[in-house]
Amino acid sequence: MEMNATYTSFVAVGDSFTEGMSDLLPDGSYRGWADLLAGRLAARAPGFRYANLAVRGKLIAQIVDEQVERAAGMGADVVTLVGGLNDTLRPKCDMGRVRARLEEAVERLAPSCKRLVLMRSPGRNGPVMERFRPRMEELFAHVDALAARHDALVVDLYGAQVLGDPRLWDLDRLHLTAEGHRRVAEAVWQALGLEPQEDWRAPLGPEVRGPWVGRRLDDLRFARQHLGPWIGRRLTGRSSGDGRPAKRPELLPYDGPSA
């Protein structure tokens, strides 16, 4: 791979992780690692174009059916594809079907761009992570195999210990904070062969734990505000992304965030 290459266009495909939740901006919109990466790439290439087709809550079949063909038709220099993790978090999950649809996506996207980037998604340390770890690792093994077969890059966020630190996760315990997204942007930047700006794997400082009562109140707040509604959507077959359009559906010049 060419080091310090110039990329003139970027299309992001995926779910809430790529949409940018929970890197909240003052206007109520989300920024996230893909926007940050696009800003940095745009600073190197006048006329740089960026599209972000990601929509929160999407399963891999929806990503393939709704985003992949559109992304492939854009002919971008760089395409990122992150999907399947929402499937693994469902009570029932057909991993064979997940693997097949992910393979379909990679086979369509790889020939359409100069550089396809896949990821081993990060996971917050805790009991939920432990419960679903076998499925996640099965998914990531498939990601590795597909990347090797189609000459795609793999960014190993799952293997970075710091990204499991709860302090890099929002109150919903499902999405990264602004600092977490910033580190992911740096990880992809480096994977593309660009000059490192920092060590994105660097651990956080020592944790100062609050009192036990405060932590339990946080757990109750999480259950009421986030876990309960999430379970409710699963039981009723609804998604947080139902009816929501793509974040940035057209491949257009970008002058957004760069840091």
Side-chain angles (χ1 to χ4, degrees), residues 18-55:
T18 300
E19 185 184 342
M21 297 174 71
S22 288
D23 184 6
L24 190 64
L25 294 173
D27 65 0
S29 65
Y30 292 107
R31 181 176 54 179
W33 67 265
D35 283 12
L36 289 168
L37 177 65
R40 292 176 65 177
L41 293 173
R44 296 169 50 88
F48 180 87
R49 296 174 299 150
Y50 169 51
N52 189 326
L53 307 183
V55 177

Side-chain angles (χ1 to χ4, degrees), residues 68-69 71-79 81 102-118 146 149-152:
V68 165
E69 192 63 32
M74 292 179 176
D77 284 353
V78 176
V79 174
L81 167 64
L102 183 60
E103 183 167 359
E104 181 182 342
V106 172
E107 288 178 346
R108 181 67 184 94
L109 290 172
S112 77
C113 61
K114 293 182 179 179
R115 180 57 65 186
L116 177 62
V117 181
L118 309 178
L146 289 172
R149 196 180 313 154
H150 294 277
D151 192 30

Side-chain angles (χ1 to χ4, degrees), residues 1-3 7 37 115 117-118 153-156 184-196 200-201:
M1 180 174 60
E2 181 183 354
M3 298 300 292
Y7 301 100
L37 177 65
R115 180 57 65 186
V117 181
L118 309 178
L153 297 175
V154 177
V155 182
D156 185 12
V184 172
E186 176 67 20
V188 182
W189 173 268
Q190 292 182 22
L192 289 171
L194 299 169
E195 189 68 28
W200 64 271
R201 299 179 182 85

